[in-house]
Amino acid sequence: MTRTITGFSNPTVKFLRSLRDKKHRRRSGQFLVEGMRLLMDAMETGRLPQTLVMAQGRELTPALGQLAAAVEAGGGEVIETTPDILTKITGKENPQSVAGAFAEWDTGLARLDRGSGRIWLVAQAMRDPGNLGTMLRTADAVGAGGLILVDDCTDPFSAEAVRASMGAIFTVPLGQASWAEFLAWLRGGPGQLVAASLRDAVPYRGAPYGDPCFILVGNESQGLPEAYEAECDLRVTMPMKGRADSLNAAIAGAVLAYEVLASPTH
């Protein structure tokens, strides 16, 4: 049964609004998703929000009715509120008419299956949520096994990263670990670690990529630490024809991913 909330001071409103902050997301184990498209993408992958919030006066579409029914059938709560309160919850002046609070899921490396994809993307100390979202979309596009976030990366469950992923947060397996944890996991089975580099590098076109191939991308401003590059099995270089001396981190990852995708299997 749908519950109606009209007060800004309602505890549920305060809780949902708090999910915009990382510390509250970590404490509650939940994150906020806005917009019908992302919510439907989530449902198609078997994930439903624990709380679904709908604005009064919205268009009652069959898809929204299906989503609300699925949330209630799954033991979740459906809430109807004013557009002004939804603005307070999302922090956006012109929010979409629906949002949902989802439970975060386990991002430990143990739950990842390295054999599930020929390509994996690995981001080290990535700080920009837009770049993280782009890497998730790239991983989805190339059929990657997943995206692994190494060291202190931006929160993949932030509203900005979720929005930038265009739904890939729900379709791409995600792992988080320190460098030491990741390296131990990687060396515990098959896997070639590849990074774009200038140190003892070969041209990225036609390089001897292995299976599965883990493409390592460094921090946007600092790049990869030299010690991390030294651990790579293969270092490749991409030509820079203009004045720029490097590509955006997420774009570099995408270029390499498509090159590996086009290379012969081994």
Side-chain angles (χ1 to χ4, degrees), residues 9-256:
S9 61
N10 183 280
T12 300
V13 173
K14 291 182 177 180
F15 169 74
L16 293 172
R17 183 179 181 277
S18 75
L19 297 181
R20 288 156 47 191
D21 297 328
K22 184 176 181 179
K23 65 179 180 179
H24 293 297
R25 289 195 297 273
R26 285 188 170 179
R27 184 180 302 140
S28 67
Q30 296 186 47
F31 67 103
L32 197 64
V33 175
E34 183 195 0
M36 195 62 196
R37 175 180 173 177
L38 291 180
L39 291 168
M40 292 303 293
D41 285 344
M43 185 168 70
E44 289 174 4
T45 64
R47 298 190 186 276
L48 291 169
Q50 295 181 330
T51 304
L52 179 67
V53 187
M54 305 181 296
Q56 294 171 336
R58 71 202 178 280
E59 180 185 1
L60 187 59
T61 64
L64 184 55
Q66 179 188 8
L67 176 61
V71 171
E72 290 185 335
E77 183 178 28
V78 178
I79 294 172
E80 189 174 65
T81 191
T82 67
D84 286 345
I85 291 178
L86 195 56
T87 295
K88 184 179 181 67
I89 289 171
T90 63
K92 294 179 64 179
E93 287 299 326
N94 296 297
Q96 299 189 45
S97 62
V98 61
F102 287 78
E104 295 183 4
W105 48 86
D106 181 12
T107 58
L109 298 183
R111 62 177 292 277
L112 299 179
D113 176 10
R114 74 176 68 215
S116 63
R118 183 185 174 199
I119 301 171
W120 288 76
L121 298 182
V122 185
Q124 187 267 333
M126 180 162 280
R127 303 306 303 156
D128 184 84
N131 279 337
L132 196 154
T134 297
M135 290 199 72
L136 282 167
R137 292 169 65 184
T138 299
D140 182 89
V142 300
L147 170 65
I148 300 175
L149 305 179
V150 171
D151 295 338
D152 186 22
C153 288
T154 188
D155 184 3
F157 297 112
S158 71
E160 296 81 6
V162 170
R163 192 179 305 118
S165 80
M166 297 293 288
I169 185 72
F170 297 111
T171 62
V172 175
L174 185 66
Q176 293 179 288
S178 68
W179 174 251
E181 291 168 337
F182 165 70
L183 203 58
W185 176 84
L186 176 68
R187 299 313 182 195
Q192 178 195 46
L193 188 59
V194 177
S197 173
L198 296 176
R199 300 184 181 100
D200 300 320
V202 300
Y204 85 105
R205 300 298 300 270
Y209 298 108
D211 293 328
C213 180
F214 290 79
I215 299 170
L216 177 62
V217 174
N219 174 267
E220 293 92 339
S221 60
Q222 303 297 322
L224 285 170
E226 185 174 352
Y228 289 27
E229 287 192 9
E231 293 286 354
C232 292
D233 304 303
L234 175 67
R235 289 179 290 277
V236 298
T237 183
M238 290 177 280
M240 304 299 296
K241 301 295 189 180
R243 292 175 59 87
D245 59 3
S246 65
L247 289 173
N248 167 275
I251 296 300
V255 171
L256 287 180

